[in-house]
Amino acid sequence: MLTSHTNKTSQAPLEMNLNAATDHVNLEGWMPPQEGIAPSMRVGRAWINILWIIPLAVVSLILMIVVAQQLRTFPAVQEFIQRYPGDASPVPVTSGYPLWLRALHFFNFFFMLFIIRAGIQILADFPRLFLRRDCTPGSEWFHFQRDVPQDRLWTSKDDSVTLPKWLGIPGIRHSVGLARWWHFSFDLLWVLNGLVFYVLIFATDQWRRIVPTSWSVFPNALSTLIQYFSLQFPVEHGWLVYNGLQQLVYFITVFIAAPLAFITGVLQGPAFSNRLGLIAKVLNRQLARTIHFAVLCWFLFFIFVHTTLALITGMRGNLNRIFLGINDVSSWNGVGVYLLVLALLAAVWFLASPFTIRYARRLQKAGEMLVGGIKSLAELWEPNTTYSERDISPYFWVNGTLPTSNEYNALQKNGFVNYKLRVGGLVENPQTFSYEELKAMPKQEQITKHFCIQGWSGVAKWGGVPVRHILEIVKPKPEAHYVVFYSFAEGADGGIYYDVHSMRNMRYKLSLLAYEMNGEPLNFLHGAPLRLRCENQLGFKMVKWIQAIELVYDFKHLGSGQGGYNEDHEFYGNHMPI
Ligand SMILES: Nc1nc2c(c(=O)[nH]1)N[C@H]1C(S)=C(S)[C@@H](COP(=O)(O)O)O[C@H]1N2
Ligand SMILES: [Mo]
């Protein structure tokens, strides 16, 4: 039945020019590795290697110890510590460390390890952080990549760097597609885990451990801080109440950092950002990305301090509580379980990257099953955020593999006067449109923000024909469910670049076949003569150098059947509103 829909279309030959990809990462054909530079941060005009933080932290730790020990010799400080010994809550928790709490604590940590590793991999795909949405090279505040070369075309793919396999997942260059499946799938599990945690702590008395109920939490926190730094630790009653410092830090981690990670995560996606207007203009993608990174730093700091203190302030007691739920300071059982858990985590840690490379397609499919549907709910929301002329970015990154065919070169040479856009497939009225005919159609202009999967963004003004106008002319048949865009250009791995969109997305007001950018004819690098704009999707779905459009019932027969070139070859998802 499928074939009856797909045969005899005018694009049948194009379909043959697609190529199938392997189901694993073929390391020979993959982007060659490229090292970055030490992560550096801008301070004024200078770039400072952030690894200086390590010696700086050691020196400040020593200083703080000296200061705290001095402080404790003052009678006023001693009185203060006596008055505020540390414990923050007047009401003790009576339910101990129930199994659900210990399980959620473990899963939280387990998910986070992989979320963090995959997150760093995503960052390495565009290893610069900006505050403003335009990503002009040189205006970043953080990077681990050299300055953008001025003497050659430097695409955003060129910018990606390789991470060690033990750090990133999967640790190969430009593997954002695969890293995102880990990141998003475990995000979903982490969010669900966190929601169950929120519900259960308030359904029981566990919330008292981490939610301050009295202003005395602040003097108690200060007092505990002095006590920790002076190396005479406060008396622990962790089974019953946490001290002020613990309470504040846990509260920030659970109720501020975690929700902020979620919010700044989804705001980096085009569907939310291009729908939420003002919010997205203030909390633009790059600011959201920067805050997302700051939250990562907080979590890394927290995990380090939390585990260090758990081990140095009564290791056996702490581990018995959190692993076994018993209030026993002398048994070694908790330590044994902890070591077993560490061994398990280490095994999974080192298997994650090779597994991802070997079973890339399965990972893509599993991720699609787990989060694909939920993510694509965002597409029900028509994108409507547009910008004004003065928001247009001074710099707009270029991405992708440029067209090189003789056919394209010939068309380009004489200004596309012989260009013919073919629109066929499951339509009542297959058509070809010349460049002149397209320009004579009702023109729409829109100033919108572009979101590349790698992390950069930019605002540009696009002028062209709304896709819905073309659809009205060719009249889709009822069984046309998807719209395929074929490029003149090949993809990085050979075979022509294509992508598949849902009918719904193509009917949205801002879906545009653009032949102008910023008031000028679309130039070669940005997709001349025609490129797609679909404002609730990531950039890779917006095919440049379009040669034909085909309406189809399904896309399983195209390429490797994943719904687009990068879906086939780089294991991206087909719906990409986030
Ligand atoms: N034909 C073709 N279209 C393509 C690509 C490509 O490689 N080939 N890259 C995509 C990606 S990943 C992005 S982010 C945008 C970039 O558009 P720009 O170069 O105009 O910024 O084009 C998309 N369209
Ligand atoms: Mo992209």
Side-chain angles (χ1 to χ4, degrees):
M1 166 197 125
L2 259 185
T3 35
S4 71
H5 290 306
T6 52
N7 62 13
K8 65 103 215 169
T9 65
S10 59
Q11 274 76 42
L14 282 183
E15 224 177 280
M16 324 270 276
N17 292 334
L18 304 181
N19 73 352
T22 53
D23 286 345
H24 61 272
V25 173
N26 174 14
L27 288 173
E28 270 99 78
W30 204 257
M31 272 195 105
Q34 169 175 254
E35 286 205 6
I37 59 171
S40 315
M41 200 176 139
R42 179 199 295 285
V43 181
R45 282 204 173 164
W47 284 97
I48 313 259
N49 183 337
I50 60 162
L51 299 178
W52 280 108
I53 287 179
I54 296 168
L56 213 73
V58 173
V59 172
S60 6
L61 182 65
I62 295 168
L63 271 176
M64 293 296 276
I65 291 172
V66 174
V67 170
Q69 291 187 338
Q70 277 305 308
L71 276 177
R72 288 195 76 162
T73 62
F74 298 123
V77 175
Q78 288 164 3
E79 246 165 63
F80 171 74
I81 291 177
Q82 215 150 47
R83 194 147 158 236
Y84 299 105
D87 289 349
S89 169
V91 187
V93 172
T94 56
S95 50
Y97 282 71
L99 180 64
W100 62 262
L101 184 76
R102 290 178 274 133
L104 294 178
H105 178 260
F106 167 76
F107 282 120
N108 179 68
F109 181 60
F110 181 79
F111 296 146
M112 257 182 118
L113 284 184
F114 296 95
I115 291 172
I116 289 174
R117 290 181 61 194
I120 295 172
Q121 183 75 61
I122 293 168
L123 181 60
D125 226 58
F126 184 58
R128 309 178 192 272
L129 290 172
F130 299 82
L131 299 175
R132 293 204 326 242
R133 60 182 166 241
D134 54 63
C135 302
T136 304
S139 72
E140 67 265 33
W141 69 268
F142 171 87
H143 63 206
F144 46 103
Q145 169 63 294
R146 283 162 208 83
D147 289 344
V148 171
Q150 300 296 314
D151 54 349
R152 53 159 289 197
L153 172 65
W154 188 257
T155 66
S156 58
K157 275 187 193 168
D158 292 326
D159 216 42
S160 61
V161 298
T162 310
L163 293 177
K165 286 206 178 43
W166 59 263
L167 176 62
I169 308 178
I172 52 175
R173 186 163 168 221
H174 186 50
S175 51
V176 62
L178 290 165
R180 280 170 58 103
W181 291 123
W182 281 94
H183 199 68
F184 284 77
S185 302
F186 277 35
D187 280 348
L188 177 69
L189 299 174
W190 180 73
V191 166
L192 292 176
N193 194 67
L195 290 177
V196 173
F197 178 75
Y198 282 175
V199 169
L200 289 182
I201 59 171
F202 288 107
T204 61
D205 62 351
Q206 292 292 336
W207 63 274
R208 290 188 181 282
R209 291 188 192 280
I210 61 170
V211 181
T213 51
S214 140
W215 292 110
S216 71
V217 67
F218 291 106
N220 275 307
L222 180 64
S223 160
T224 5
L225 199 66
I226 298 171
Q227 295 178 70
Y228 279 134
F229 274 121
S230 70
L231 302 183
Q232 294 172 46
F233 296 155
V235 183
E236 291 271 1
H237 307 110
W239 185 255
L240 304 170
V241 289
Y242 285 170
N243 66 46
L245 194 61
Q246 285 177 302
Q247 198 169 63
L248 278 185
V249 170
Y250 294 154
F251 182 83
I252 292 172
T253 304
V254 171
F255 294 108
I256 298 177
L260 202 57
F262 179 78
I263 293 166
T264 55
V266 294
L267 276 179
Q268 286 178 66
F272 283 86
S273 203
N274 278 338
R275 174 71 197 201
L276 293 177
L278 196 63
I279 296 176
K281 286 177 191 177
V282 178
L283 202 59
N284 72 66
R285 190 195 208 185
Q286 302 310 319
L287 192 56
R289 198 163 179 254
T290 287
I291 298 172
H292 206 68
F293 178 75
V295 175
L296 162 70
C297 295
W298 169 265
F299 279 133
L300 291 177
F301 169 77
F302 173 80
I303 292 169
F304 176 73
V305 174
H306 176 64
T307 48
T308 308
L309 283 178
L311 297 182
I312 66 175
T313 63
M315 176 178 74
R316 279 178 276 169
N318 288 334
L319 294 178
N320 280 332
R321 269 177 244 149
I322 200 60
F323 284 108
L324 301 174
I326 51 173
N327 194 19
D328 175 346
V329 294
S330 55
S331 142
W332 285 90
N333 291 345
V335 177
V337 176
Y338 174 64
L339 292 176
L340 271 176
V341 167
L342 279 192
L344 178 93
L345 287 180
V348 182
W349 181 290
F350 287 106
L351 286 174
S353 286
F355 172 87
T356 304
I357 289 169
R358 178 91 184 71
Y359 298 107
R361 188 74 71 204
R362 285 194 203 170
L363 188 84
Q364 177 188 23
K365 287 189 176 153
E368 194 84 74
M369 256 170 57
L370 208 59
V371 281
I374 292 177
K375 264 196 323 155
S376 59
L377 288 179
E379 295 177 357
L380 299 176
W381 224 10
E382 175 158 6
N384 61 5
T385 300
T386 54
Y387 291 76
S388 69
E389 298 267 347
R390 51 169 213 289
D391 298 324
I392 292 175
S393 299
Y395 186 92
F396 202 96
W397 282 76
V398 168
N399 210 4
T401 310
L402 309 179
T404 52
S405 71
N406 294 336
E407 186 188 2
Y408 180 84
N409 289 345
L411 289 172
Q412 190 194 20
K413 213 176 218 162
N414 54 24
F416 300 107
V417 288
N418 297 326
Y419 173 71
K420 290 253 179 328
L421 172 70
R422 289 177 278 156
V423 186
L426 299 175
V427 296
E428 307 288 350
N429 186 19
Q431 288 278 325
T432 60
F433 303 101
S434 73
Y435 194 41
E436 284 310 314
E437 282 168 333
L438 289 169
K439 285 196 285 190
M441 285 179 185
K443 180 176 172 188
Q444 175 171 309
E445 289 192 309
Q446 63 198 43
I447 305 178
T448 51
K449 183 159 145 198
H450 180 96
F451 295 71
C452 173
I453 191 171
Q454 294 185 260
W456 60 270
S457 53
V459 173
K461 176 161 132 183
W462 305 97
V465 187
V467 181
R468 63 179 189 285
H469 182 72
I470 302 281
L471 293 179
E472 275 159 25
I473 297 176
V474 298
K475 298 199 171 47
K477 294 184 178 165
E479 63 270 31
H481 287 180
Y482 297 97
V483 186
V484 190
F485 292 80
Y486 294 94
S487 179
F488 281 111
E490 297 208 329
D493 205 16
I496 65 178
Y497 194 93
Y498 77 105
D499 207 274
V500 180
H501 288 265
S502 71
M503 243 0 208
R504 185 198 296 111
N505 277 343
M506 290 300 95
R507 290 203 167 105
Y508 282 154
K509 279 203 286 297
L510 294 178
S511 293
L512 190 72
L513 287 170
Y515 50 76
E516 274 180 16
M517 180 184 186
N518 297 336
E520 315 245 317
L522 192 60
N523 69 25
F524 170 60
L525 294 178
H526 291 294
L530 206 61
R531 65 97 50 86
L532 180 64
R533 297 297 313 162
C534 174
E535 306 297 352
N536 65 1
Q537 298 293 308
L538 291 173
F540 74 90
K541 302 223 34 119
M542 303 188 212
V543 176
K544 303 195 286 187
W545 311 289
I546 296 173
Q547 67 163 315
I549 299 175
E550 183 187 14
L551 279 75
V552 294
Y553 172 75
D554 195 4
F555 51 80
K556 296 224 159 51
H557 60 292
L558 301 174
S560 301
Q562 303 303 314
Y565 193 89
N566 285 352
E567 290 89 330
D568 291 346
H569 291 260
E570 297 182 359
F571 309 100
Y572 291 2
N574 172 37
H575 293 272
M576 282 299 214
I578 301 177

